Amino acid sequence: LGREGDVLLAISTSGNSPNILAAAKEAQRLGMRVLSLTGNGGGQLSALAEVDVCVPWSGYADRIQEVHIRCIHAWIA
């Protein structure tokens, strides 16, 4: 449903989720911008995003997701 000029918010704790990587690549092909929320180094997704917000944590994924939620709430506010 995205088109040129839209922004894809791609969220992947590891940055390596195959379906999210495919969505980011397709978004780029369509001329969309890609913003990602990742953790633990950003994985492959960080290289596909114009802006990658990477949570510097390599422990449990739930801590990374908690920071992602805070980012989303801040952007909404």
Side-chain angles (χ1 to χ4, degrees):
L1 298 175
R3 56 188 156 195
E4 187 174 355
D6 288 348
V7 176
L8 171 71
L9 173 58
I11 304 171
S12 172
T13 302
S14 69
N16 294 315
S17 302
N19 58 333
I20 302 299
L21 293 172
K25 290 174 186 174
E26 181 64 9
Q28 287 179 329
R29 187 188 72 75
L30 294 171
M32 296 172 62
R33 305 186 102 154
V34 179
L35 167 65
S36 63
L37 290 173
T38 63
N40 195 21
Q44 298 173 48
L45 183 57
S46 65
L48 297 173
E50 289 185 50
V51 176
D52 177 45
V53 178
C54 181
V55 179
W57 180 256
S58 58
Y60 293 110
D62 59 342
R63 295 297 170 254
I64 296 169
Q65 293 164 356
E66 288 171 358
V67 176
H68 289 173
I69 291 168
R70 291 188 186 275
C71 289
I72 293 167
H73 280 279
W75 293 334
I76 291 170

